[in-house]
Amino acid sequence: MSKFCPSCGEQLADNAKFCKNCGMNLETQQQTQQTTGTQQTMPPYEVQKVEEDHKIAIIIGYVFAILIPIIGVFIGVYLVTRKDSEKASLHGKIIIALSAVIWFISFKLMGY
């Protein structure tokens, strides 16, 4: 017989002590139910969306945009396509523009 987490509804093993999804302590919940004799209703578990950081990719993107612009363009495209972070998308656009400018300047300095 399977049991379910009273907080998030995740299906659990019969001998589970904690919910593998939300981390709720199931032993405390069972003790509370035994003490009061009733099943407590938990408020709905809300998952807050956390924006991905992408700090390392942003830093590497700026470094490569200056040193090796073609790699900076690839990293910029990677950051622009991140749907989970507006900040990463903005920095990706800046990195692509910076790479293009550095690339243009380097070709002008070489005489092309």
Side-chain angles (χ1 to χ4, degrees):
M1 181 171 159
S2 297
K3 65 180 181 179
F4 296 88
C5 176
S7 177
C8 68
E10 180 77 19
Q11 185 174 2
L12 307 168
D14 290 333
N15 60 350
K17 295 180 182 179
F18 294 92
C19 175
K20 62 184 177 184
N21 186 41
C22 69
M24 180 176 193
N25 185 343
L26 300 172
E27 289 182 335
T28 305
Q29 181 69 19
Q30 288 174 349
Q31 290 172 357
T32 305
Q33 289 175 2
Q34 291 171 355
T35 305
T36 60
T38 61
Q39 186 174 1
Q40 293 180 335
T41 306
M42 299 295 290
Y45 183 74
E46 294 182 21
V47 178
Q48 294 180 349
K49 185 176 180 192
V50 178
E51 187 174 283
E52 289 290 325
D53 206 353
H54 302 290
K55 278 184 185 175
I56 304 258
I58 292 169
I59 292 169
I60 291 172
Y62 280 113
V63 169
F64 276 110
I66 294 168
L67 299 177
I68 309 171
I70 188 71
I71 296 175
V73 169
F74 287 121
I75 295 171
V77 169
Y78 165 80
L79 290 170
V80 166
T81 60
R82 300 303 97 197
K83 301 294 184 206
D84 57 349
S85 175
E86 291 292 323
K87 179 180 168 185
S89 182
L90 173 66
H91 282 286
K93 292 172 187 174
I94 295 170
I95 289 169
I96 291 170
L98 179 63
S99 296
V101 168
I102 299 282
W103 207 352
F104 180 76
I105 291 171
S106 65
F107 277 117
K108 283 296 185 183
L109 290 176
M110 286 194 268
Y112 291 110

